[in-house]
Amino acid sequence: MKKHLRITWNAPVVLSIVAVSFAATLLNYLTGGRSGLLLFMTYHSSLLSPMTWIRMFAHIFGHADWSHLIGNMSYLLLLGPMLEEKYSSRVLLEVILVTAFVTGLANYILFPATALCGASGVVFAFILLSSFTNFREGEIPVTFILVAVLFIGQQVWDGITIRDNISHMTHIIGGMIGGMIGYGLNCKSRVK
């Protein structure tokens, strides 16, 4: 008897982020950049405006161009399903929301003249979080150390030596969030 293959929505949070990011980037192109400015980019605006607070989270869906989108979504699709399976959809959504808000707020405070868009902070959170998948109590995985040194170290170096349109600060903060949450989640699960 032949089994039928079926397509499954295996990582709902990650796939939803990818779908919304694709739609946001397409909408940004169709509106000549207006939708990105209105919804999918955080920048210094009045704290009394509800849109300022919406953009603190929604900036992760906006991307500067298709190349930026594909780069970030590739990492999310590679790492996200494994993380969503290990930690749960709810926990992964919390990681994404915390990362979005903290990076948006940091950009608002530290770089008031700079707009921020993209899921790079979330990508770096996922990268560091994934290095904790084989964590044991009382140990720090060598993979975590190497990932932290390579990925975060490169961002610190690039942030000091290169002037570009990349928010290295967002990458560093996202990585720190992923590392801290990964360590915390794995310590908590060992205590139970």
Side-chain angles (χ1 to χ4, degrees):
M1 186 150 93
K2 222 179 194 185
K3 288 187 177 183
H4 295 315
L5 294 177
R6 62 187 176 99
I7 296 174
T8 61
W9 194 257
N10 63 317
V13 169
V14 171
L15 291 169
S16 296
I17 297 252
V18 170
V20 173
S21 295
F22 175 80
T25 304
L26 180 61
L27 184 62
N28 195 44
Y29 273 97
L30 295 175
T31 63
R34 287 186 296 281
S35 67
L37 279 172
L38 178 65
L39 295 169
F40 306 116
M41 187 179 296
T42 186
Y43 46 85
H44 213 265
S45 56
S46 172
L47 292 175
L48 299 176
S49 169
M51 291 308 298
T52 298
W53 297 102
I54 290 169
R55 287 189 296 264
M56 288 285 181
F57 295 96
H59 73 273
I60 65 168
F61 301 120
H63 288 80
D65 55 33
W66 293 108
S67 169
H68 186 209
L69 174 77
I70 290 168
N72 280 338
M73 296 307 107
S74 296
Y75 275 106
L76 292 182
L77 289 168
L78 284 168
L79 300 169
M82 169 191 64
L83 295 172
E84 199 163 341
E85 183 178 329
K86 178 175 173 63
Y87 296 112
S88 82
S89 296
R90 182 188 59 79
V91 168
L92 201 62
L93 180 60
E94 290 171 2
V95 169
I96 293 165
L97 291 173
V98 166
T99 303
F101 181 71
V102 172
T103 57
L105 188 61
N107 187 76
Y108 184 92
I109 294 168
L110 299 174
F111 303 100
T114 304
L116 175 69
C117 68
S120 301
V122 174
V123 165
F124 273 77
F126 278 21
I127 289 169
L128 273 285
L129 184 60
S130 70
S131 66
F132 278 97
T133 55
N134 293 327
F135 178 82
R136 287 179 192 58
E137 184 65 35
E139 298 177 359
I140 297 177
V142 171
T143 53
F144 170 75
I145 295 168
L146 292 173
V147 166
V149 168
L150 293 173
F151 278 91
I152 302 302
Q154 178 190 7
Q155 293 307 306
V156 170
W157 177 256
D158 288 352
I160 294 168
T161 62
I162 299 173
R163 295 289 163 238
D164 54 20
N165 286 332
I166 297 172
S167 178
H168 301 285
M169 176 272 313
T170 300
H171 298 172
I172 293 165
I173 291 173
M176 290 170 49
I177 290 169
M180 290 186 298
I181 290 175
Y183 182 79
L185 287 172
N186 283 287
C187 282
K188 197 183 296 181
S189 71
R190 301 289 183 212
V191 171
K192 290 181 182 178

